[in-house]
Amino acid sequence: SQTIHQWPATLVQPVGSPLSLECTVEGTSNPNLYWYRQAAGRGLQLLFYSVGIGQISSEVPQNLSASRPQDRQFILSSKKLLLSDSGFYLCAWSFSTGQPQHFGDGTRLSIL
Amino acid sequence: GESVGLHLPTLSVQEGDNSIINCAYSNSASDYFIWYKQESGKGPQFIIDIRSNMDKRQGQRVTVLLNKTVKHLSLQIAATQPGDSAVYFCADLQGGKLIFGQGTELSVKP
């Protein structure tokens, strides 16, 4: 069966510091990968998605970037965090574009 | 633009009763919907899905109904249990992108 891992679970960072959140999937190859942000415990907003190594699509302009250096690894980064980057970041995977997405347990990011 | 919305932000039910969570969508071309359950501090968990060629689908204690005429779907949970307490999201999968509603928080009273 497939599993998805995100780390860290929580992170507190000062404004202006860099960020790197990592997500890995096990048990499948060439999955679609996604990064979402959830504010205030409600609706999720798609930030980035990837259909293959090195292929990244950005959904909203922002202070963040994503990379996919390996087939089952997806990284969310920032060079300088803003207060508005605080939130709950979720990684997800799917077998293909038309299949359900399955989520990790997220990273709670607080910016001070 | 497209949107997905739930009717009530919160729902409180008695343990053992049935729960009904509603969701409306605006895009007539939408053809695939997914319900997720999110417990506090965790990621959304897939519950059940339905495609537009169906109007009903059943799982274990859950049923999803789809009414394409009025662009409405609902999630029914039978014999609601304390472990069902969570935020429930309907989502519309369009072109590989999930469009989420704002969620309904279900509270189960013992």
Side-chain angles (χ1 to χ4, degrees):
Chain A
S1 63
Q2 299 77 33
T3 57
I4 180 169
H5 303 280
Q6 281 187 252
W7 65 92
T10 59
L11 188 60
V12 180
Q13 292 284 98
V15 170
S17 64
L19 173 73
S20 181
L21 301 181
E22 190 161 344
C23 170
T24 58
V25 178
E26 297 176 356
T28 186
S29 59
N30 198 32
N32 284 6
L33 296 172
Y34 310 84
W35 278 112
Y36 288 85
R37 176 166 55 206
Q38 185 175 34
R42 290 296 169 138
L44 284 72
Q45 180 187 35
L46 178 64
L47 302 176
F48 301 95
Y49 70 94
S50 171
V51 299
I53 295 174
Q55 300 179 61
I56 308 295
S57 296
S58 174
E59 286 299 298
V60 293
Q62 59 205 319
N63 185 40
L64 302 167
S65 62
S67 61
R68 185 170 178 174
Q70 299 181 46
D71 181 43
R72 289 167 289 174
Q73 184 185 31
F74 206 23
I75 297 172
L76 184 69
S77 304
S78 174
K79 292 181 180 177
K80 280 189 176 182
L81 285 166
L82 306 172
L83 282 173
S84 58
D85 291 324
S86 292
F88 192 43
Y89 288 84
L90 291 153
C91 182
W93 72 273
S94 67
F95 284 115
S96 66
T97 299
Q99 296 295 313
Q101 295 174 21
H102 303 276
F103 289 81
D105 277 338
T107 294
R108 175 79 55 193
L109 176 64
S110 299
I111 311 299
L112 303 179
Chain B
E2 65 240 357
S3 67
V4 179
L6 274 77
H7 292 182
L8 291 173
T10 61
L11 177 66
S12 184
V13 300
Q14 203 70 36
E15 182 178 357
D17 288 352
N18 296 335
S19 303
I20 300 176
I21 301 172
N22 295 301
C23 186
Y25 61 96
S26 60
N27 188 349
S28 300
S30 296
D31 60 3
Y32 183 34
F33 302 92
I34 305 171
W35 281 98
Y36 287 93
K37 172 187 180 183
Q38 186 175 25
E39 296 175 281
S40 180
K42 295 192 172 183
Q45 177 186 9
F46 173 91
I47 302 174
I48 193 167
D49 58 358
I50 189 166
R51 296 191 185 270
S52 60
N53 61 348
M54 304 175 72
D55 52 21
K56 180 179 180 179
R57 192 156 188 228
Q58 289 184 287
Q60 187 176 15
R61 282 200 306 118
V62 294
T63 301
V64 56
L65 300 178
L66 175 61
N67 185 328
K68 296 178 284 295
T69 302
V70 295
K71 300 196 203 58
H72 178 273
L73 66 159
S74 65
L75 177 71
Q76 300 178 8
I77 304 173
T80 313
Q81 302 168 0
D84 295 326
S85 293
V87 178
Y88 289 81
F89 294 93
C90 62
D92 176 6
L93 186 60
Q94 299 179 22
K97 301 171 190 176
L98 278 174
I99 309 298
F100 279 84
Q102 290 303 302
T104 291
E105 183 171 7
L106 176 65
S107 299
V108 182
K109 296 177 289 187

